Amino acid sequence: MNTCLIRRLLFAFFLLAWVSLLSGTAPAATWTVNPGESIQARIDNPETASGDVIQVRTGTYTEDLVIGKDNLTLLSVDGPGLAVIQGAGVRDEAIYIGEGLGASIDGFVLRPGAENNSYGIYHHGGAPSNPVAVTRNSFAGFTGYGFYGSWDVLRDTSFTFDGNTVTGSYYGVFASGFQGCRVSVSDNVFLDCDNGISLARNDQGMAGTVAEITGNSIVLEDEEPLPAGAVSMLMVGGGGNGITVDSAEDSTTIADNEVRGGFFSGLTVNYVGYSGRTPAVLLVDGNTFSGTEYGIYFGDLAFLPAEVTVQYNVLRDNDCGISVNYFSSAAAPETKVLFANNSITGSAVSGFRNRAAELIDAKGNWWGDASGPLDTHDPSAELPGYSNPSGTGTAVSAFVDYSPWLHEPPAPEKPALLSPADGSTDVSVTPTLRTGPFLSNLAGVTHAATQWQVGTMAGDFSGGLVVHEESTANLTSMYIPMKTLGRSTTYYWRVRFRDSNGVYSQWSDAWAFTTAAGQGGGNGGGGCAAAGPAAPAMFLLMVPLVLLMRRK
């Protein structure tokens, strides 16, 4: 090897080593724990340093773990659910994370070793500066909490609780004390937990914590009372909630969750804008709340100025669909509140109960019947200045501005056509028509049928139709058989979707295509490819071969 090159490589090596020494950092190490070995021993080993990764192989490890080093990662390396941490029952928790420490726990099955193990994972709090992440774990039978963390302040970092399953705990996840953080509680399953998700003190320092609670399934089928002498920590906010956010701040998104069963509420938000910067921003979008006492329960809809949007939710068979107790900052110029495009049906007592003497915008919702909600309040004494005593939909109270209302549930989105493209020519007489996917903002709604129309009259589908069919099988594509379309003819086509509520979307835009003149034809599918277009390509392929032969 060139002497000069060797010198350069050696110089680069020693330069990197010198920079590493000056920075005082070393690359994270990865350690492996095999069956029969101790995870705790690996954590405690002096060689294990902050930031290291401990890979745990498939097996069952009976021990209560104490994490006392910052930013460690525990990973079930062979895949989620293959490494089992069986608590020994010596401590209150199967995994204890020390004060002020970041940590990542990924892919384990956690089981209590005895009644002493009332916590799956317990974080001792403090003020961690590194992320806390709990992902893809399974917690079963912990009598208190799947995860518990109450921090002085988790500042400028992140808390992630994603992809976990928690069964049979009184609290699935409880986390409190954020400042300028990103919080994600998403894609979890909580089964028979008295409280599914509980977040509190979401923005202590007005730094703009972003919290997302999305895609969770929270079901309470087995309702058992609290043990004798036990008191729910969230009784002041109701207790027994699918989702509880004690102080929704800037910004909080609660979307695409399903909460079902005998909870006090599907969602309780106690104070919007209690401790963060203003206006607080809260979006409640596309959730399903069913079978609860309250579907959505607001302790204070805007404690401080707030922007609150509640839309495209399904509130079904609850005693009360939506309840608002206070609306403290209703008069603030920054406050903007909208309840729209929700489906509120089957409420035993009230669809929307507003105990605050402030008018709430709830126009454009579906109340279960085209006649609108039942409203018997006295419009001469309380707002709004109208009532609807003949409505047969779910009932509303005074101070709910519900008119105009939807005469059917919110419709699916307008379909998008894909092919044949608009204006296509030389299309096969047996094309396959294709659309984009079915989309609905309303939670739990599925694609039931598609109505297809193909005709010869531009902009007019009242006649000249050669295809007029509603299909439950051909939802996003339809093959047009022989002898349906003629040659050298321009056709116009459109579709609309029907959802599982029986509601139709708007018709799509109408697109046009023209069929081929001769036998076969091309870009719409079907038929044989013409030989002509291939000739230039074949010529170009031959040129290099000819030149090569000439050089020989």
Side-chain angles (χ1 to χ4, degrees):
M1 184 182 289
N2 187 294
T3 303
C4 183
L5 178 59
I6 293 174
R7 288 175 178 172
R8 289 176 180 174
L9 290 173
L10 287 172
F11 175 77
F13 172 79
F14 285 113
L15 179 63
L16 287 172
W18 180 251
V19 170
S20 178
L21 286 171
L22 287 177
S23 64
T25 60
T30 298
W31 311 94
T32 300
V33 177
N34 296 298
E37 299 175 347
S38 167
I39 303 171
Q40 186 64 57
R42 183 69 263 171
I43 294 171
D44 294 340
N45 192 304
E47 294 180 333
T48 304
S50 296
D52 285 359
V53 177
I54 298 175
Q55 300 181 151
V56 181
R57 305 305 301 265
T58 299
T60 299
Y61 301 81
T62 303
E63 49 187 332
D64 297 335
L65 301 182
V66 176
I67 297 176
K69 296 174 182 177
D70 193 24
N71 206 26
L72 286 185
T73 295
L74 298 186
L75 172 65
S76 175
V77 68
D78 296 323
L82 296 180
V84 179
I85 298 175
Q86 178 80 47
V90 176
R91 299 182 59 88
D92 287 340
E93 57 283 317
I95 298 178
Y96 172 92
I97 303 172
E99 183 175 356
L101 302 181
S104 175
I105 315 293
D106 181 57
F108 292 90
V109 174
L110 285 83
R111 298 174 181 162
E115 291 184 4
N116 288 22
N117 283 145
S118 58
Y119 299 84
I121 299 175
Y122 179 95
H123 196 296
H124 193 67
S129 58
N130 282 310
V132 176
V134 179
T135 55
R136 305 189 303 169
N137 302 287
S138 175
F139 304 77
F142 292 96
T143 56
Y145 301 79
F147 175 90
Y148 176 93
S150 183
W151 296 282
D152 295 341
V153 62
L154 191 68
R155 181 185 293 111
D156 300 328
T157 183
S158 63
F159 170 67
T160 303
F161 192 89
D162 290 355
N164 302 285
T165 299
V166 186
T167 304
S169 296
Y170 287 120
Y171 300 89
V173 53
F174 179 91
S176 174
F178 304 102
Q179 178 179 320
C181 283
R182 179 167 291 276
V183 179
S184 175
V185 182
S186 299
D187 302 319
N188 302 287
V189 175
F190 301 93
L191 180 61
D192 291 334
C193 296
D194 187 61
N195 292 271
I197 299 165
S198 300
L199 298 182
R201 297 189 296 122
N202 286 346
D203 193 7
Q204 294 297 98
M206 298 190 180
T209 290
V210 176
E212 296 182 351
I213 303 172
T214 61
N216 299 285
S217 175
I218 307 170
V219 179
L220 181 59
E221 294 178 341
D222 181 17
E223 299 179 64
E224 294 184 4
L226 290 166
V231 177
S232 169
M233 287 184 64
L234 299 176
M235 262 323 163
V236 293
N241 304 313
I243 301 171
T244 300
V245 180
D246 271 351
S247 54
E249 308 297 345
D250 177 20
S251 62
T252 302
T253 298
I254 302 168
D256 303 321
N257 303 285
E258 179 185 8
V259 182
R260 171 169 52 87
F263 295 103
F264 171 81
S265 75
L267 167 65
T268 284
V269 181
N270 282 324
Y271 302 99
V272 179
Y274 179 76
S275 60
R277 65 186 182 186
T278 59
V281 178
L282 170 64
L283 174 64
V284 181
D285 184 4
N287 304 282
T288 298
F289 303 109
S290 62
T292 66
E293 186 172 345
Y294 293 92
I296 302 176
Y297 180 95
F298 284 98
D300 197 325
L301 185 57
F303 182 82
L304 293 176
E307 298 175 4
V308 180
T309 304
V310 180
Q311 63 183 13
Y312 295 108
N313 301 284
V314 173
L315 298 111
R316 181 176 57 242
D317 299 332
N318 306 288
D319 289 349
C320 180
I322 299 171
S323 178
V324 174
N325 274 13
Y326 298 98
F327 193 1
S328 299
S329 293
E334 306 98 315
T335 295
K336 298 178 178 64
V337 171
L338 176 65
F339 291 78
N341 291 300
N342 301 289
S343 175
I344 307 169
T345 62
S347 301
V349 178
S350 179
F352 199 132
R353 185 186 67 180
N354 182 8
R355 288 178 168 173
E358 300 286 353
L359 193 65
I360 291 176
D361 186 351
K363 302 181 185 73
N365 294 288
W366 167 245
W367 303 95
D369 192 85
S371 62
L374 172 63
D375 174 17
T376 58
H377 88 279
D378 181 359
S380 66
E382 296 176 306
L383 295 174
Y386 60 87
S387 63
N388 189 32
S390 61
T392 59
T394 188
V396 299
S397 71
F399 297 102
V400 178
D401 188 8
Y402 55 84
S403 181
W405 58 82
L406 297 180
H407 288 76
E408 61 183 10
E413 292 188 15
K414 178 180 174 180
L417 305 184
L418 295 182
S419 66
D422 191 22
S424 296
T425 59
D426 195 32
V427 174
S428 167
V429 294
T430 58
T432 297
L433 309 181
R434 302 183 189 279
T435 77
F438 171 86
L439 297 172
S440 175
N441 289 310
L442 195 62
V445 171
T446 58
H447 193 175
T450 298
Q451 197 169 79
W452 302 84
Q453 289 186 338
V454 181
T456 56
M457 299 169 63
D460 186 358
F461 289 85
S462 62
L465 295 179
V466 295
V467 175
H468 181 60
E469 177 181 335
E470 182 167 306
S471 174
T472 59
N474 301 310
L475 295 179
T476 58
S477 66
M478 172 173 276
Y479 171 74
I480 306 299
M482 290 290 291
K483 300 182 180 180
T484 303
L485 306 182
R487 300 190 184 281
S488 299
T489 305
T490 298
Y491 292 95
Y492 305 87
W493 67 291
R494 66 178 186 173
V495 303
R496 64 175 178 171
F497 294 151
R498 176 165 61 84
D499 68 19
S500 51
N501 286 327
V503 178
Y504 286 95
S505 70
Q506 298 179 52
W507 284 103
S508 69
D509 295 335
W511 280 11
F513 64 87
T514 302
T515 53
Q519 185 175 2
N523 58 14
C528 299
M538 290 297 295
F539 175 76
L540 290 173
L541 289 172
M542 291 294 293
V543 168
L545 180 60
V546 172
L547 292 175
L548 182 63
M549 292 177 66
R550 288 189 64 184
R551 291 184 64 181
K552 291 183 177 181

PDB file of all heavy atoms in Angstrom, residues 105-116:
ATOM      1  N   ILE A 105     -38.168   0.509  27.068  1.00  0.00           N
ATOM      2  CA  ILE A 105     -38.531  -0.889  27.321  1.00  0.00           C
ATOM      3  C   ILE A 105     -39.350  -1.356  26.132  1.00  0.00           C
ATOM      4  O   ILE A 105     -40.437  -0.840  25.880  1.00  0.00           O
ATOM      5  CB  ILE A 105     -39.358  -1.049  28.616  1.00  0.00           C
ATOM      6  CG1 ILE A 105     -38.754  -0.239  29.771  1.00  0.00           C
ATOM      7  CG2 ILE A 105     -39.509  -2.514  28.975  1.00  0.00           C
ATOM      8  CD1 ILE A 105     -37.421  -0.714  30.247  1.00  0.00           C
ATOM      9  N   ASP A 106     -38.843  -2.352  25.385  1.00  0.00           N
ATOM     10  CA  ASP A 106     -39.484  -2.706  24.127  1.00  0.00           C
ATOM     11  C   ASP A 106     -39.661  -4.218  23.955  1.00  0.00           C
ATOM     12  O   ASP A 106     -38.687  -4.971  24.001  1.00  0.00           O
ATOM     13  CB  ASP A 106     -38.651  -2.170  22.959  1.00  0.00           C
ATOM     14  CG  ASP A 106     -39.276  -2.487  21.609  1.00  0.00           C
ATOM     15  OD1 ASP A 106     -40.435  -2.107  21.386  1.00  0.00           O
ATOM     16  OD2 ASP A 106     -38.604  -3.124  20.782  1.00  0.00           O
ATOM     17  N   GLY A 107     -40.925  -4.631  23.783  1.00  0.00           N
ATOM     18  CA  GLY A 107     -41.230  -5.966  23.291  1.00  0.00           C
ATOM     19  C   GLY A 107     -41.374  -7.064  24.313  1.00  0.00           C
ATOM     20  O   GLY A 107     -41.410  -8.244  23.933  1.00  0.00           O
ATOM     21  N   PHE A 108     -41.518  -6.760  25.610  1.00  0.00           N
ATOM     22  CA  PHE A 108     -41.552  -7.796  26.646  1.00  0.00           C
ATOM     23  C   PHE A 108     -42.983  -8.187  27.024  1.00  0.00           C
ATOM     24  O   PHE A 108     -43.926  -7.399  26.863  1.00  0.00           O
ATOM     25  CB  PHE A 108     -40.829  -7.312  27.901  1.00  0.00           C
ATOM     26  CG  PHE A 108     -39.348  -7.158  27.723  1.00  0.00           C
ATOM     27  CD1 PHE A 108     -38.812  -5.949  27.294  1.00  0.00           C
ATOM     28  CD2 PHE A 108     -38.492  -8.218  27.965  1.00  0.00           C
ATOM     29  CE1 PHE A 108     -37.440  -5.795  27.116  1.00  0.00           C
ATOM     30  CE2 PHE A 108     -37.121  -8.073  27.796  1.00  0.00           C
ATOM     31  CZ  PHE A 108     -36.594  -6.861  27.364  1.00  0.00           C
ATOM     32  N   VAL A 109     -43.115  -9.383  27.556  1.00  0.00           N
ATOM     33  CA  VAL A 109     -44.294  -9.776  28.317  1.00  0.00           C
ATOM     34  C   VAL A 109     -43.948  -9.571  29.783  1.00  0.00           C
ATOM     35  O   VAL A 109     -42.946 -10.109  30.268  1.00  0.00           O
ATOM     36  CB  VAL A 109     -44.675 -11.244  28.060  1.00  0.00           C
ATOM     37  CG1 VAL A 109     -45.815 -11.671  28.981  1.00  0.00           C
ATOM     38  CG2 VAL A 109     -45.062 -11.448  26.597  1.00  0.00           C
ATOM     39  N   LEU A 110     -44.775  -8.780  30.482  1.00  0.00           N
ATOM     40  CA  LEU A 110     -44.548  -8.529  31.904  1.00  0.00           C
ATOM     41  C   LEU A 110     -45.677  -9.159  32.705  1.00  0.00           C
ATOM     42  O   LEU A 110     -46.861  -8.901  32.425  1.00  0.00           O
ATOM     43  CB  LEU A 110     -44.465  -7.029  32.201  1.00  0.00           C
ATOM     44  CG  LEU A 110     -43.171  -6.322  31.786  1.00  0.00           C
ATOM     45  CD1 LEU A 110     -43.205  -5.947  30.315  1.00  0.00           C
ATOM     46  CD2 LEU A 110     -42.931  -5.080  32.615  1.00  0.00           C
ATOM     47  N   ARG A 111     -45.300  -9.962  33.707  1.00  0.00           N
ATOM     48  CA  ARG A 111     -46.281 -10.640  34.546  1.00  0.00           C
ATOM     49  C   ARG A 111     -45.938 -10.407  36.016  1.00  0.00           C
ATOM     50  O   ARG A 111     -44.759 -10.398  36.387  1.00  0.00           O
ATOM     51  CB  ARG A 111     -46.284 -12.145  34.274  1.00  0.00           C
ATOM     52  CG  ARG A 111     -46.662 -12.541  32.849  1.00  0.00           C
ATOM     53  CD  ARG A 111     -46.478 -14.028  32.671  1.00  0.00           C
ATOM     54  NE  ARG A 111     -46.794 -14.474  31.317  1.00  0.00           N
ATOM     55  CZ  ARG A 111     -46.395 -15.621  30.804  1.00  0.00           C
ATOM     56  NH1 ARG A 111     -45.619 -16.437  31.546  1.00  0.00           N
ATOM     57  NH2 ARG A 111     -46.724 -15.962  29.582  1.00  0.00           N
ATOM     58  N   PRO A 112     -46.968 -10.252  36.850  1.00  0.00           N
ATOM     59  CA  PRO A 112     -46.686 -10.100  38.285  1.00  0.00           C
ATOM     60  C   PRO A 112     -46.283 -11.428  38.896  1.00  0.00           C
ATOM     61  O   PRO A 112     -46.812 -12.488  38.548  1.00  0.00           O
ATOM     62  CB  PRO A 112     -48.028  -9.614  38.849  1.00  0.00           C
ATOM     63  CG  PRO A 112     -49.057 -10.137  37.891  1.00  0.00           C
ATOM     64  CD  PRO A 112     -48.408 -10.160  36.542  1.00  0.00           C
ATOM     65  N   GLY A 113     -45.308 -11.343  39.801  1.00  0.00           N
ATOM     66  CA  GLY A 113     -44.879 -12.562  40.469  1.00  0.00           C
ATOM     67  C   GLY A 113     -45.703 -12.864  41.697  1.00  0.00           C
ATOM     68  O   GLY A 113     -45.764 -13.994  42.162  1.00  0.00           O
ATOM     69  N   ALA A 114     -46.334 -11.840  42.262  1.00  0.00           N
ATOM     70  CA  ALA A 114     -47.163 -12.001  43.457  1.00  0.00           C
ATOM     71  C   ALA A 114     -48.047 -10.771  43.551  1.00  0.00           C
ATOM     72  O   ALA A 114     -47.942  -9.834  42.756  1.00  0.00           O
ATOM     73  CB  ALA A 114     -46.280 -12.143  44.706  1.00  0.00           C
ATOM     74  N   GLU A 115     -48.939 -10.759  44.540  1.00  0.00           N
ATOM     75  CA  GLU A 115     -49.814  -9.603  44.704  1.00  0.00           C
ATOM     76  C   GLU A 115     -49.019  -8.327  44.959  1.00  0.00           C
ATOM     77  O   GLU A 115     -49.492  -7.231  44.732  1.00  0.00           O
ATOM     78  CB  GLU A 115     -50.801  -9.859  45.842  1.00  0.00           C
ATOM     79  CG  GLU A 115     -51.823 -10.935  45.516  1.00  0.00           C
ATOM     80  CD  GLU A 115     -52.852 -11.110  46.604  1.00  0.00           C
ATOM     81  OE1 GLU A 115     -52.784 -10.327  47.579  1.00  0.00           O
ATOM     82  OE2 GLU A 115     -53.683 -11.998  46.494  1.00  0.00           O
ATOM     83  N   ASN A 116     -47.784  -8.483  45.462  1.00  0.00           N
ATOM     84  CA  ASN A 116     -46.943  -7.302  45.690  1.00  0.00           C
ATOM     85  C   ASN A 116     -46.677  -6.533  44.408  1.00  0.00           C
ATOM     86  O   ASN A 116     -46.478  -5.324  44.420  1.00  0.00           O
ATOM     87  CB  ASN A 116     -45.590  -7.735  46.298  1.00  0.00           C
ATOM     88  CG  ASN A 116     -45.740  -8.170  47.734  1.00  0.00           C
ATOM     89  OD1 ASN A 116     -46.828  -8.529  48.151  1.00  0.00           O
ATOM     90  ND2 ASN A 116     -44.647  -8.149  48.479  1.00  0.00           N
TER      91      ASN A 116
END
